[in-house]
Amino acid sequence: MILEWILDITIFVLIIELLQKYIFNKEPTADDKLFLEHSNPIFLYFILLLMVMGLIWSVLTDFISYDYDIMAHLLPIIGFYILVSKGLYIRYVYGPKNWQYVEKTKIGFISIIILIIIFMGLYIS
């Protein structure tokens, strides 16, 4: 029960941060500007809506029906994962090609692959 609260609060804080950066354009960094320049706003709105709907669904299942629904918790996480993958792709294609930037992008891709392997391992077990 406490872990579900922690997950819900973490997703809520993440959604607030994403809304401030991408919807309200509050202090965007160079990577955020690159992402906003080369990303479709409808895609961004859809992913953020998906994350908000997943958060509402998980809160309703956790606190009203007291039933743990794995899909309710996975929906915002998958939305965030898609957003990060799109950001890394834009960073790889349109970003500067200096050594440090390329290495950080490669580390990002490696972390995405490792997360997929971890999620598949958790699903199998």
Side-chain angles (χ1 to χ4, degrees), residues 6-42:
I6 293 171
L7 181 64
D8 290 339
I9 290 170
T10 305
I11 292 171
F12 179 72
V13 169
L14 181 68
I15 289 172
I16 295 297
E17 183 67 27
L18 289 173
L19 285 173
Q20 284 181 351
K21 280 193 173 199
Y22 295 128
I23 303 299
F24 301 120
N25 294 332
K26 185 178 180 183
E27 301 174 15
T29 63
D31 286 336
D32 295 336
K33 290 177 185 175
L34 183 70
F35 181 77
L36 289 172
E37 182 180 325
H38 297 286
S39 182
N40 188 358
I42 295 172

PDB file of all heavy atoms in Angstrom, residues 6-42:
ATOM      1  N   ILE A   6       3.815   5.859  -2.901  1.00  0.00           N
ATOM      2  CA  ILE A   6       5.091   6.436  -3.354  1.00  0.00           C
ATOM      3  C   ILE A   6       5.126   6.507  -4.871  1.00  0.00           C
ATOM      4  O   ILE A   6       5.540   7.523  -5.443  1.00  0.00           O
ATOM      5  CB  ILE A   6       6.275   5.624  -2.793  1.00  0.00           C
ATOM      6  CG1 ILE A   6       6.356   5.790  -1.274  1.00  0.00           C
ATOM      7  CG2 ILE A   6       7.588   6.048  -3.449  1.00  0.00           C
ATOM      8  CD1 ILE A   6       7.344   4.883  -0.605  1.00  0.00           C
ATOM      9  N   LEU A   7       4.672   5.450  -5.541  1.00  0.00           N
ATOM     10  CA  LEU A   7       4.644   5.445  -7.001  1.00  0.00           C
ATOM     11  C   LEU A   7       3.686   6.511  -7.530  1.00  0.00           C
ATOM     12  O   LEU A   7       4.035   7.249  -8.464  1.00  0.00           O
ATOM     13  CB  LEU A   7       4.243   4.068  -7.523  1.00  0.00           C
ATOM     14  CG  LEU A   7       4.187   3.917  -9.043  1.00  0.00           C
ATOM     15  CD1 LEU A   7       5.561   4.116  -9.647  1.00  0.00           C
ATOM     16  CD2 LEU A   7       3.622   2.571  -9.419  1.00  0.00           C
ATOM     17  N   ASP A   8       2.521   6.629  -6.943  1.00  0.00           N
ATOM     18  CA  ASP A   8       1.555   7.636  -7.384  1.00  0.00           C
ATOM     19  C   ASP A   8       2.080   9.057  -7.171  1.00  0.00           C
ATOM     20  O   ASP A   8       1.930   9.915  -8.041  1.00  0.00           O
ATOM     21  CB  ASP A   8       0.226   7.463  -6.656  1.00  0.00           C
ATOM     22  CG  ASP A   8      -0.509   6.204  -7.087  1.00  0.00           C
ATOM     23  OD1 ASP A   8      -0.207   5.699  -8.184  1.00  0.00           O
ATOM     24  OD2 ASP A   8      -1.365   5.740  -6.326  1.00  0.00           O
ATOM     25  N   ILE A   9       2.710   9.307  -6.034  1.00  0.00           N
ATOM     26  CA  ILE A   9       3.255  10.637  -5.761  1.00  0.00           C
ATOM     27  C   ILE A   9       4.410  10.944  -6.706  1.00  0.00           C
ATOM     28  O   ILE A   9       4.521  12.063  -7.221  1.00  0.00           O
ATOM     29  CB  ILE A   9       3.686  10.751  -4.286  1.00  0.00           C
ATOM     30  CG1 ILE A   9       2.444  10.752  -3.395  1.00  0.00           C
ATOM     31  CG2 ILE A   9       4.524  11.998  -4.046  1.00  0.00           C
ATOM     32  CD1 ILE A   9       2.748  10.628  -1.926  1.00  0.00           C
ATOM     33  N   THR A  10       5.253   9.955  -6.994  1.00  0.00           N
ATOM     34  CA  THR A  10       6.356  10.150  -7.928  1.00  0.00           C
ATOM     35  C   THR A  10       5.849  10.468  -9.320  1.00  0.00           C
ATOM     36  O   THR A  10       6.361  11.384  -9.986  1.00  0.00           O
ATOM     37  CB  THR A  10       7.242   8.890  -7.965  1.00  0.00           C
ATOM     38  OG1 THR A  10       7.679   8.582  -6.645  1.00  0.00           O
ATOM     39  CG2 THR A  10       8.438   9.089  -8.875  1.00  0.00           C
ATOM     40  N   ILE A  11       4.853   9.753  -9.779  1.00  0.00           N
ATOM     41  CA  ILE A  11       4.283  10.007 -11.100  1.00  0.00           C
ATOM     42  C   ILE A  11       3.620  11.379 -11.133  1.00  0.00           C
ATOM     43  O   ILE A  11       3.742  12.111 -12.124  1.00  0.00           O
ATOM     44  CB  ILE A  11       3.298   8.891 -11.485  1.00  0.00           C
ATOM     45  CG1 ILE A  11       4.060   7.582 -11.715  1.00  0.00           C
ATOM     46  CG2 ILE A  11       2.512   9.263 -12.735  1.00  0.00           C
ATOM     47  CD1 ILE A  11       3.184   6.373 -11.883  1.00  0.00           C
ATOM     48  N   PHE A  12       2.955  11.778 -10.051  1.00  0.00           N
ATOM     49  CA  PHE A  12       2.329  13.089  -9.986  1.00  0.00           C
ATOM     50  C   PHE A  12       3.373  14.209 -10.094  1.00  0.00           C
ATOM     51  O   PHE A  12       3.193  15.168 -10.846  1.00  0.00           O
ATOM     52  CB  PHE A  12       1.534  13.234  -8.686  1.00  0.00           C
ATOM     53  CG  PHE A  12       0.874  14.568  -8.525  1.00  0.00           C
ATOM     54  CD1 PHE A  12      -0.224  14.908  -9.301  1.00  0.00           C
ATOM     55  CD2 PHE A  12       1.358  15.480  -7.609  1.00  0.00           C
ATOM     56  CE1 PHE A  12      -0.835  16.148  -9.156  1.00  0.00           C
ATOM     57  CE2 PHE A  12       0.762  16.714  -7.454  1.00  0.00           C
ATOM     58  CZ  PHE A  12      -0.340  17.051  -8.234  1.00  0.00           C
ATOM     59  N   VAL A  13       4.465  14.088  -9.351  1.00  0.00           N
ATOM     60  CA  VAL A  13       5.531  15.092  -9.415  1.00  0.00           C
ATOM     61  C   VAL A  13       6.151  15.120 -10.805  1.00  0.00           C
ATOM     62  O   VAL A  13       6.435  16.192 -11.350  1.00  0.00           O
ATOM     63  CB  VAL A  13       6.591  14.811  -8.322  1.00  0.00           C
ATOM     64  CG1 VAL A  13       7.838  15.663  -8.524  1.00  0.00           C
ATOM     65  CG2 VAL A  13       6.006  15.031  -6.946  1.00  0.00           C
ATOM     66  N   LEU A  14       6.339  13.967 -11.409  1.00  0.00           N
ATOM     67  CA  LEU A  14       6.883  13.889 -12.768  1.00  0.00           C
ATOM     68  C   LEU A  14       5.967  14.569 -13.771  1.00  0.00           C
ATOM     69  O   LEU A  14       6.428  15.320 -14.642  1.00  0.00           O
ATOM     70  CB  LEU A  14       7.101  12.424 -13.145  1.00  0.00           C
ATOM     71  CG  LEU A  14       7.674  12.148 -14.512  1.00  0.00           C
ATOM     72  CD1 LEU A  14       9.104  12.638 -14.577  1.00  0.00           C
ATOM     73  CD2 LEU A  14       7.616  10.662 -14.796  1.00  0.00           C
ATOM     74  N   ILE A  15       4.682  14.352 -13.661  1.00  0.00           N
ATOM     75  CA  ILE A  15       3.724  14.985 -14.579  1.00  0.00           C
ATOM     76  C   ILE A  15       3.728  16.495 -14.393  1.00  0.00           C
ATOM     77  O   ILE A  15       3.709  17.238 -15.385  1.00  0.00           O
ATOM     78  CB  ILE A  15       2.315  14.392 -14.374  1.00  0.00           C
ATOM     79  CG1 ILE A  15       2.269  12.959 -14.910  1.00  0.00           C
ATOM     80  CG2 ILE A  15       1.262  15.240 -15.074  1.00  0.00           C
ATOM     81  CD1 ILE A  15       1.000  12.219 -14.592  1.00  0.00           C
ATOM     82  N   ILE A  16       3.780  16.965 -13.157  1.00  0.00           N
ATOM     83  CA  ILE A  16       3.833  18.411 -12.908  1.00  0.00           C
ATOM     84  C   ILE A  16       5.091  19.008 -13.533  1.00  0.00           C
ATOM     85  O   ILE A  16       5.038  20.061 -14.183  1.00  0.00           O
ATOM     86  CB  ILE A  16       3.779  18.706 -11.390  1.00  0.00           C
ATOM     87  CG1 ILE A  16       2.442  18.284 -10.803  1.00  0.00           C
ATOM     88  CG2 ILE A  16       4.054  20.174 -11.110  1.00  0.00           C
ATOM     89  CD1 ILE A  16       1.254  19.029 -11.367  1.00  0.00           C
ATOM     90  N   GLU A  17       6.207  18.337 -13.375  1.00  0.00           N
ATOM     91  CA  GLU A  17       7.465  18.834 -13.954  1.00  0.00           C
ATOM     92  C   GLU A  17       7.401  18.861 -15.477  1.00  0.00           C
ATOM     93  O   GLU A  17       7.840  19.825 -16.110  1.00  0.00           O
ATOM     94  CB  GLU A  17       8.626  17.953 -13.477  1.00  0.00           C
ATOM     95  CG  GLU A  17       9.967  18.408 -13.951  1.00  0.00           C
ATOM     96  CD  GLU A  17      10.412  19.728 -13.362  1.00  0.00           C
ATOM     97  OE1 GLU A  17       9.984  20.068 -12.249  1.00  0.00           O
ATOM     98  OE2 GLU A  17      11.186  20.430 -14.030  1.00  0.00           O
ATOM     99  N   LEU A  18       6.848  17.824 -16.082  1.00  0.00           N
ATOM    100  CA  LEU A  18       6.724  17.788 -17.541  1.00  0.00           C
ATOM    101  C   LEU A  18       5.766  18.855 -18.052  1.00  0.00           C
ATOM    102  O   LEU A  18       6.010  19.477 -19.090  1.00  0.00           O
ATOM    103  CB  LEU A  18       6.263  16.405 -17.999  1.00  0.00           C
ATOM    104  CG  LEU A  18       7.290  15.290 -17.866  1.00  0.00           C
ATOM    105  CD1 LEU A  18       6.650  13.942 -18.180  1.00  0.00           C
ATOM    106  CD2 LEU A  18       8.481  15.531 -18.757  1.00  0.00           C
ATOM    107  N   LEU A  19       4.676  19.074 -17.328  1.00  0.00           N
ATOM    108  CA  LEU A  19       3.739  20.128 -17.725  1.00  0.00           C
ATOM    109  C   LEU A  19       4.395  21.503 -17.655  1.00  0.00           C
ATOM    110  O   LEU A  19       4.190  22.335 -18.544  1.00  0.00           O
ATOM    111  CB  LEU A  19       2.497  20.102 -16.835  1.00  0.00           C
ATOM    112  CG  LEU A  19       1.494  18.986 -17.095  1.00  0.00           C
ATOM    113  CD1 LEU A  19       0.415  18.992 -16.028  1.00  0.00           C
ATOM    114  CD2 LEU A  19       0.886  19.116 -18.461  1.00  0.00           C
ATOM    115  N   GLN A  20       5.181  21.751 -16.624  1.00  0.00           N
ATOM    116  CA  GLN A  20       5.855  23.043 -16.511  1.00  0.00           C
ATOM    117  C   GLN A  20       6.859  23.252 -17.641  1.00  0.00           C
ATOM    118  O   GLN A  20       6.953  24.337 -18.197  1.00  0.00           O
ATOM    119  CB  GLN A  20       6.580  23.157 -15.170  1.00  0.00           C
ATOM    120  CG  GLN A  20       5.677  23.414 -14.008  1.00  0.00           C
ATOM    121  CD  GLN A  20       6.453  23.548 -12.714  1.00  0.00           C
ATOM    122  OE1 GLN A  20       7.650  23.280 -12.648  1.00  0.00           O
ATOM    123  NE2 GLN A  20       5.760  23.958 -11.659  1.00  0.00           N
ATOM    124  N   LYS A  21       7.603  22.207 -17.976  1.00  0.00           N
ATOM    125  CA  LYS A  21       8.638  22.359 -18.994  1.00  0.00           C
ATOM    126  C   LYS A  21       8.072  22.426 -20.403  1.00  0.00           C
ATOM    127  O   LYS A  21       8.497  23.259 -21.208  1.00  0.00           O
ATOM    128  CB  LYS A  21       9.641  21.211 -18.901  1.00  0.00           C
ATOM    129  CG  LYS A  21      10.639  21.394 -17.823  1.00  0.00           C
ATOM    130  CD  LYS A  21      11.761  20.421 -17.972  1.00  0.00           C
ATOM    131  CE  LYS A  21      12.815  20.775 -16.952  1.00  0.00           C
ATOM    132  NZ  LYS A  21      14.092  20.204 -17.271  1.00  0.00           N
ATOM    133  N   TYR A  22       7.153  21.525 -20.737  1.00  0.00           N
ATOM    134  CA  TYR A  22       6.750  21.389 -22.130  1.00  0.00           C
ATOM    135  C   TYR A  22       5.455  22.110 -22.479  1.00  0.00           C
ATOM    136  O   TYR A  22       5.278  22.529 -23.612  1.00  0.00           O
ATOM    137  CB  TYR A  22       6.637  19.914 -22.506  1.00  0.00           C
ATOM    138  CG  TYR A  22       7.967  19.208 -22.439  1.00  0.00           C
ATOM    139  CD1 TYR A  22       8.124  18.042 -21.721  1.00  0.00           C
ATOM    140  CD2 TYR A  22       9.078  19.727 -23.079  1.00  0.00           C
ATOM    141  CE1 TYR A  22       9.340  17.401 -21.662  1.00  0.00           C
ATOM    142  CE2 TYR A  22      10.294  19.097 -23.015  1.00  0.00           C
ATOM    143  CZ  TYR A  22      10.422  17.922 -22.312  1.00  0.00           C
ATOM    144  OH  TYR A  22      11.626  17.303 -22.246  1.00  0.00           O
ATOM    145  N   ILE A  23       4.553  22.257 -21.560  1.00  0.00           N
ATOM    146  CA  ILE A  23       3.296  22.938 -21.871  1.00  0.00           C
ATOM    147  C   ILE A  23       3.409  24.426 -21.562  1.00  0.00           C
ATOM    148  O   ILE A  23       3.061  25.275 -22.379  1.00  0.00           O
ATOM    149  CB  ILE A  23       2.126  22.300 -21.095  1.00  0.00           C
ATOM    150  CG1 ILE A  23       2.007  20.803 -21.411  1.00  0.00           C
ATOM    151  CG2 ILE A  23       0.825  23.024 -21.408  1.00  0.00           C
ATOM    152  CD1 ILE A  23       1.732  20.479 -22.856  1.00  0.00           C
ATOM    153  N   PHE A  24       3.915  24.759 -20.375  1.00  0.00           N
ATOM    154  CA  PHE A  24       3.986  26.159 -19.971  1.00  0.00           C
ATOM    155  C   PHE A  24       5.328  26.804 -20.299  1.00  0.00           C
ATOM    156  O   PHE A  24       5.526  27.979 -20.017  1.00  0.00           O
ATOM    157  CB  PHE A  24       3.688  26.285 -18.471  1.00  0.00           C
ATOM    158  CG  PHE A  24       2.340  25.759 -18.104  1.00  0.00           C
ATOM    159  CD1 PHE A  24       2.206  24.709 -17.204  1.00  0.00           C
ATOM    160  CD2 PHE A  24       1.189  26.282 -18.669  1.00  0.00           C
ATOM    161  CE1 PHE A  24       0.968  24.213 -16.860  1.00  0.00           C
ATOM    162  CE2 PHE A  24      -0.053  25.791 -18.331  1.00  0.00           C
ATOM    163  CZ  PHE A  24      -0.164  24.749 -17.426  1.00  0.00           C
ATOM    164  N   ASN A  25       6.278  26.031 -20.865  1.00  0.00           N
ATOM    165  CA  ASN A  25       7.598  26.509 -21.290  1.00  0.00           C
ATOM    166  C   ASN A  25       8.324  27.280 -20.198  1.00  0.00           C
ATOM    167  O   ASN A  25       8.889  28.347 -20.426  1.00  0.00           O
ATOM    168  CB  ASN A  25       7.488  27.372 -22.548  1.00  0.00           C
ATOM    169  CG  ASN A  25       7.037  26.579 -23.742  1.00  0.00           C
ATOM    170  OD1 ASN A  25       7.277  25.385 -23.812  1.00  0.00           O
ATOM    171  ND2 ASN A  25       6.382  27.223 -24.680  1.00  0.00           N
ATOM    172  N   LYS A  26       8.315  26.750 -19.006  1.00  0.00           N
ATOM    173  CA  LYS A  26       8.989  27.400 -17.882  1.00  0.00           C
ATOM    174  C   LYS A  26      10.444  26.945 -17.835  1.00  0.00           C
ATOM    175  O   LYS A  26      10.725  25.790 -17.554  1.00  0.00           O
ATOM    176  CB  LYS A  26       8.278  27.056 -16.582  1.00  0.00           C
ATOM    177  CG  LYS A  26       8.846  27.773 -15.386  1.00  0.00           C
ATOM    178  CD  LYS A  26       8.069  27.428 -14.139  1.00  0.00           C
ATOM    179  CE  LYS A  26       8.654  28.163 -12.949  1.00  0.00           C
ATOM    180  NZ  LYS A  26       7.964  27.805 -11.727  1.00  0.00           N
ATOM    181  N   GLU A  27      11.358  27.837 -18.116  1.00  0.00           N
ATOM    182  CA  GLU A  27      12.795  27.618 -18.066  1.00  0.00           C
ATOM    183  C   GLU A  27      13.239  26.364 -18.832  1.00  0.00           C
ATOM    184  O   GLU A  27      13.811  25.443 -18.248  1.00  0.00           O
ATOM    185  CB  GLU A  27      13.263  27.521 -16.619  1.00  0.00           C
ATOM    186  CG  GLU A  27      12.979  28.739 -15.785  1.00  0.00           C
ATOM    187  CD  GLU A  27      13.339  28.551 -14.327  1.00  0.00           C
ATOM    188  OE1 GLU A  27      14.063  27.593 -14.007  1.00  0.00           O
ATOM    189  OE2 GLU A  27      12.885  29.353 -13.522  1.00  0.00           O
ATOM    190  N   PRO A  28      13.018  26.299 -20.145  1.00  0.00           N
ATOM    191  CA  PRO A  28      13.488  25.128 -20.888  1.00  0.00           C
ATOM    192  C   PRO A  28      15.006  25.159 -21.076  1.00  0.00           C
ATOM    193  O   PRO A  28      15.597  26.219 -21.294  1.00  0.00           O
ATOM    194  CB  PRO A  28      12.760  25.238 -22.225  1.00  0.00           C
ATOM    195  CG  PRO A  28      12.462  26.683 -22.381  1.00  0.00           C
ATOM    196  CD  PRO A  28      12.285  27.224 -20.990  1.00  0.00           C
ATOM    197  N   THR A  29      15.633  24.006 -20.970  1.00  0.00           N
ATOM    198  CA  THR A  29      17.063  23.894 -21.219  1.00  0.00           C
ATOM    199  C   THR A  29      17.291  23.770 -22.719  1.00  0.00           C
ATOM    200  O   THR A  29      16.339  23.757 -23.511  1.00  0.00           O
ATOM    201  CB  THR A  29      17.631  22.664 -20.493  1.00  0.00           C
ATOM    202  OG1 THR A  29      17.016  21.487 -21.017  1.00  0.00           O
ATOM    203  CG2 THR A  29      17.397  22.742 -18.994  1.00  0.00           C
ATOM    204  N   ALA A  30      18.555  23.641 -23.107  1.00  0.00           N
ATOM    205  CA  ALA A  30      18.876  23.511 -24.529  1.00  0.00           C
ATOM    206  C   ALA A  30      18.289  22.213 -25.093  1.00  0.00           C
ATOM    207  O   ALA A  30      17.780  22.193 -26.219  1.00  0.00           O
ATOM    208  CB  ALA A  30      20.383  23.547 -24.730  1.00  0.00           C
ATOM    209  N   ASP A  31      18.330  21.128 -24.305  1.00  0.00           N
ATOM    210  CA  ASP A  31      17.742  19.861 -24.760  1.00  0.00           C
ATOM    211  C   ASP A  31      16.222  19.967 -24.876  1.00  0.00           C
ATOM    212  O   ASP A  31      15.622  19.400 -25.783  1.00  0.00           O
ATOM    213  CB  ASP A  31      18.110  18.728 -23.812  1.00  0.00           C
ATOM    214  CG  ASP A  31      19.552  18.292 -23.944  1.00  0.00           C
ATOM    215  OD1 ASP A  31      20.133  18.507 -25.026  1.00  0.00           O
ATOM    216  OD2 ASP A  31      20.094  17.738 -22.969  1.00  0.00           O
ATOM    217  N   ASP A  32      15.602  20.678 -23.950  1.00  0.00           N
ATOM    218  CA  ASP A  32      14.149  20.870 -24.004  1.00  0.00           C
ATOM    219  C   ASP A  32      13.751  21.687 -25.233  1.00  0.00           C
ATOM    220  O   ASP A  32      12.762  21.389 -25.893  1.00  0.00           O
ATOM    221  CB  ASP A  32      13.641  21.563 -22.748  1.00  0.00           C
ATOM    222  CG  ASP A  32      13.823  20.720 -21.503  1.00  0.00           C
ATOM    223  OD1 ASP A  32      13.900  19.484 -21.626  1.00  0.00           O
ATOM    224  OD2 ASP A  32      13.898  21.309 -20.406  1.00  0.00           O
ATOM    225  N   LYS A  33      14.524  22.724 -25.523  1.00  0.00           N
ATOM    226  CA  LYS A  33      14.246  23.537 -26.712  1.00  0.00           C
ATOM    227  C   LYS A  33      14.391  22.709 -27.983  1.00  0.00           C
ATOM    228  O   LYS A  33      13.590  22.828 -28.911  1.00  0.00           O
ATOM    229  CB  LYS A  33      15.173  24.745 -26.758  1.00  0.00           C
ATOM    230  CG  LYS A  33      14.873  25.774 -25.692  1.00  0.00           C
ATOM    231  CD  LYS A  33      15.871  26.908 -25.742  1.00  0.00           C
ATOM    232  CE  LYS A  33      15.639  27.874 -24.595  1.00  0.00           C
ATOM    233  NZ  LYS A  33      16.639  28.926 -24.531  1.00  0.00           N
ATOM    234  N   LEU A  34      15.419  21.850 -28.029  1.00  0.00           N
ATOM    235  CA  LEU A  34      15.615  20.972 -29.179  1.00  0.00           C
ATOM    236  C   LEU A  34      14.442  20.010 -29.323  1.00  0.00           C
ATOM    237  O   LEU A  34      13.939  19.786 -30.428  1.00  0.00           O
ATOM    238  CB  LEU A  34      16.929  20.201 -29.022  1.00  0.00           C
ATOM    239  CG  LEU A  34      17.348  19.292 -30.164  1.00  0.00           C
ATOM    240  CD1 LEU A  34      17.765  20.134 -31.364  1.00  0.00           C
ATOM    241  CD2 LEU A  34      18.483  18.400 -29.724  1.00  0.00           C
ATOM    242  N   PHE A  35      13.995  19.456 -28.196  1.00  0.00           N
ATOM    243  CA  PHE A  35      12.862  18.537 -28.216  1.00  0.00           C
ATOM    244  C   PHE A  35      11.589  19.234 -28.684  1.00  0.00           C
ATOM    245  O   PHE A  35      10.845  18.697 -29.509  1.00  0.00           O
ATOM    246  CB  PHE A  35      12.656  17.924 -26.830  1.00  0.00           C
ATOM    247  CG  PHE A  35      11.521  16.954 -26.753  1.00  0.00           C
ATOM    248  CD1 PHE A  35      11.661  15.682 -27.258  1.00  0.00           C
ATOM    249  CD2 PHE A  35      10.317  17.312 -26.174  1.00  0.00           C
ATOM    250  CE1 PHE A  35      10.619  14.772 -27.187  1.00  0.00           C
ATOM    251  CE2 PHE A  35       9.276  16.424 -26.106  1.00  0.00           C
ATOM    252  CZ  PHE A  35       9.426  15.140 -26.619  1.00  0.00           C
ATOM    253  N   LEU A  36      11.323  20.417 -28.156  1.00  0.00           N
ATOM    254  CA  LEU A  36      10.111  21.150 -28.534  1.00  0.00           C
ATOM    255  C   LEU A  36      10.153  21.591 -29.993  1.00  0.00           C
ATOM    256  O   LEU A  36       9.118  21.632 -30.666  1.00  0.00           O
ATOM    257  CB  LEU A  36       9.918  22.361 -27.624  1.00  0.00           C
ATOM    258  CG  LEU A  36       9.521  22.043 -26.190  1.00  0.00           C
ATOM    259  CD1 LEU A  36       9.557  23.309 -25.339  1.00  0.00           C
ATOM    260  CD2 LEU A  36       8.164  21.401 -26.134  1.00  0.00           C
ATOM    261  N   GLU A  37      11.339  21.907 -30.480  1.00  0.00           N
ATOM    262  CA  GLU A  37      11.477  22.360 -31.868  1.00  0.00           C
ATOM    263  C   GLU A  37      11.209  21.238 -32.865  1.00  0.00           C
ATOM    264  O   GLU A  37      10.618  21.472 -33.919  1.00  0.00           O
ATOM    265  CB  GLU A  37      12.889  22.903 -32.059  1.00  0.00           C
ATOM    266  CG  GLU A  37      13.169  23.453 -33.425  1.00  0.00           C
ATOM    267  CD  GLU A  37      14.588  23.977 -33.527  1.00  0.00           C
ATOM    268  OE1 GLU A  37      15.100  24.516 -32.535  1.00  0.00           O
ATOM    269  OE2 GLU A  37      15.174  23.819 -34.612  1.00  0.00           O
ATOM    270  N   HIS A  38      11.615  20.024 -32.530  1.00  0.00           N
ATOM    271  CA  HIS A  38      11.510  18.908 -33.477  1.00  0.00           C
ATOM    272  C   HIS A  38      10.445  17.887 -33.113  1.00  0.00           C
ATOM    273  O   HIS A  38      10.439  16.780 -33.636  1.00  0.00           O
ATOM    274  CB  HIS A  38      12.864  18.207 -33.594  1.00  0.00           C
ATOM    275  CG  HIS A  38      13.933  19.073 -34.146  1.00  0.00           C
ATOM    276  ND1 HIS A  38      13.982  19.411 -35.481  1.00  0.00           N
ATOM    277  CD2 HIS A  38      14.972  19.689 -33.561  1.00  0.00           C
ATOM    278  CE1 HIS A  38      15.017  20.192 -35.692  1.00  0.00           C
ATOM    279  NE2 HIS A  38      15.641  20.383 -34.539  1.00  0.00           N
ATOM    280  N   SER A  39       9.559  18.233 -32.212  1.00  0.00           N
ATOM    281  CA  SER A  39       8.498  17.316 -31.797  1.00  0.00           C
ATOM    282  C   SER A  39       7.144  17.918 -32.125  1.00  0.00           C
ATOM    283  O   SER A  39       6.945  19.128 -32.064  1.00  0.00           O
ATOM    284  CB  SER A  39       8.609  17.043 -30.304  1.00  0.00           C
ATOM    285  OG  SER A  39       7.627  16.135 -29.908  1.00  0.00           O
ATOM    286  N   ASN A  40       6.217  17.059 -32.443  1.00  0.00           N
ATOM    287  CA  ASN A  40       4.851  17.482 -32.736  1.00  0.00           C
ATOM    288  C   ASN A  40       4.127  17.770 -31.411  1.00  0.00           C
ATOM    289  O   ASN A  40       4.100  16.918 -30.525  1.00  0.00           O
ATOM    290  CB  ASN A  40       4.131  16.375 -33.509  1.00  0.00           C
ATOM    291  CG  ASN A  40       2.782  16.786 -34.013  1.00  0.00           C
ATOM    292  OD1 ASN A  40       2.323  17.894 -33.779  1.00  0.00           O
ATOM    293  ND2 ASN A  40       2.146  15.874 -34.714  1.00  0.00           N
ATOM    294  N   PRO A  41       3.525  18.942 -31.261  1.00  0.00           N
ATOM    295  CA  PRO A  41       2.842  19.252 -29.996  1.00  0.00           C
ATOM    296  C   PRO A  41       1.670  18.316 -29.707  1.00  0.00           C
ATOM    297  O   PRO A  41       1.392  18.013 -28.542  1.00  0.00           O
ATOM    298  CB  PRO A  41       2.344  20.677 -30.183  1.00  0.00           C
ATOM    299  CG  PRO A  41       3.027  21.218 -31.363  1.00  0.00           C
ATOM    300  CD  PRO A  41       3.537  20.071 -32.166  1.00  0.00           C
ATOM    301  N   ILE A  42       1.010  17.824 -30.745  1.00  0.00           N
ATOM    302  CA  ILE A  42      -0.106  16.896 -30.525  1.00  0.00           C
ATOM    303  C   ILE A  42       0.401  15.607 -29.894  1.00  0.00           C
ATOM    304  O   ILE A  42      -0.241  15.047 -29.002  1.00  0.00           O
ATOM    305  CB  ILE A  42      -0.848  16.628 -31.852  1.00  0.00           C
ATOM    306  CG1 ILE A  42      -1.494  17.922 -32.333  1.00  0.00           C
ATOM    307  CG2 ILE A  42      -1.884  15.539 -31.688  1.00  0.00           C
ATOM    308  CD1 ILE A  42      -2.097  17.849 -33.715  1.00  0.00           C
TER     309      ILE A  42
END
